[in-house]
Amino acid sequence: SVATTDAVTVHVSSDGEAVCIAKESEGGKFFSLIDVATGSGAGTYYDDADCGTGFTSAAAPTSTPTNYTAGGW
C-alpha cells in the first residue's frame, strides 16, 4: 500500500537556482537530491543526509556540495 501522509522536505536556495528534496526513511535514514539549474555548479547531486538548515539561506552551490555525489544513484 502507499501511504498518502508521507512527506518530503523541499528547500530552495536563496537565489532560486537550486532545490534540495529530502525524505527520511522509516528506519531514520535520510535521502536527498540537489538540483542546481545554472552556473558553475549546475547538475544533480545525491546524498544520504538531510538538506541541512543552511541550504535556504545560501545561494546555489558553485561546485559539488559537501558530502554529495554528482550524477545519478
Side-chain angles (χ1 to χ4, degrees), residues 19-71:
V19 63
C20 184
I21 302 169
K23 173 73 173 132
E24 184 177 10
S25 71
E26 288 183 15
K29 184 172 186 166
F30 278 92
F31 297 92
S32 62
L33 294 169
I34 293 177
D35 187 67
V36 181
T38 62
S40 58
T44 303
Y45 309 94
Y46 66 95
D47 192 19
D48 59 356
D50 194 7
C51 297
T53 56
F55 190 87
T56 56
S57 62
T62 56
S63 62
T64 301
T66 304
N67 299 325
Y68 278 77
T69 302

